[in-house]
Amino acid sequence: MTGLVAAGFRGLAAVRRARAFHPTGLALRGELRAVDDDLPWPSAPTAIVARLSKGAGTPGRLPDALGLAVRIPGAGRDGEPWDLTLTTAGSGHLGRMLPRPVATWTGGAYSSLVPYRRADRLIWLGAWATADSPRLEASLEAVAAAGGLGFVLRTGREDGRWCDSAELRLSEAGGDAPAFDPVLHRPDGVDVAPEWLAGLRERAYAGSRAGRS
């Protein structure tokens, strides 16, 4: 099964000459600041690299499952980065597991789609645009022209509650985005759950990287 997953993603990336999913995107710079310790965020405000992307690569402002990926340098195991990848979805018990096409970057919830496991607790990660962020239609050109964008990162508990965990400010577009991998790049003590799905996801990311190269 894992070999078929890797081959499928490698083939799709090769055909697209881009990521298998979220092929079109925009790299941004910004800062992350923790407001809670339910995940092992850096203790001080930290410069990050982010990418806003369209899952299916639809052109212009057409709706799509939109992506928010964040790399936090030095926050992973052995000084490696910590990568977060979120996709527009619902916020309920079932909806947070299902990608949802939307028409704006700032009108709904982003979700990790699967939870993290930390100290025998399942923790979901979500993001919502801050109240002061402008309404941006689902085009990369709109993001580039906005000049700034903010998100609140929230952790979802098994009882359905969402609690503020960190703040993310994106203010500078440009440069190249790294190859984000939330399974490979994560802190000690934080695992992607369930384990079998984490293995499939890692093969998918590896296949996509191989296809692009």
Side-chain angles (χ1 to χ4, degrees), residues 1 10 20 29 34 55 115 123 201:
M1 174 65 76
R10 183 172 64 248
R29 306 282 172 175
I123 302 175
R201 291 185 71 186

Side-chain angles (χ1 to χ4, degrees), residues 15-103:
V15 169
R16 283 185 156 179
R17 298 183 181 180
R19 291 168 169 86
F21 289 105
H22 296 275
T24 56
L26 179 69
L28 302 107
R29 306 282 172 175
E31 183 179 85
L32 181 138
R33 183 177 69 86
V35 297
D36 201 343
D37 62 357
D38 48 359
L39 286 173
W41 307 114
S43 58
T46 301
I48 57 89
V49 179
R51 183 177 187 259
L52 291 175
S53 59
K54 306 193 73 172
T58 59
R61 62 183 183 182
L62 290 178
D64 206 333
L66 305 180
L68 168 62
V70 179
R71 169 162 289 187
I72 310 171
R77 295 171 293 185
D78 300 321
E80 292 291 312
W82 182 10
D83 288 347
L84 312 173
T85 57
L86 310 173
T87 302
T88 50
S91 58
H93 280 91
L94 180 61
R96 61 190 178 184
M97 295 186 286
L98 303 173
R100 175 183 293 178
V102 297

Side-chain angles (χ1 to χ4, degrees), residues 99-168:
R100 175 183 293 178
V102 297
T104 69
W105 296 99
T106 51
Y110 293 73
S111 169
S112 56
L113 302 183
V114 295
Y116 289 105
R117 185 180 299 279
R118 187 186 191 201
D120 295 326
R121 291 175 52 214
L122 293 180
I123 302 175
W124 297 78
L125 183 63
W128 283 258
T130 56
D132 61 350
S133 293
R135 182 185 184 278
L136 297 180
E137 61 187 18
S139 76
L140 296 172
E141 292 77 13
V143 174
L149 192 59
F151 290 94
V152 177
L153 300 181
R154 296 185 174 120
T155 50
R157 312 303 168 83
E158 293 180 78
D159 62 6
R161 291 181 302 125
W162 289 95
C163 302
D164 290 4
S165 187
E167 295 177 352
L168 179 66

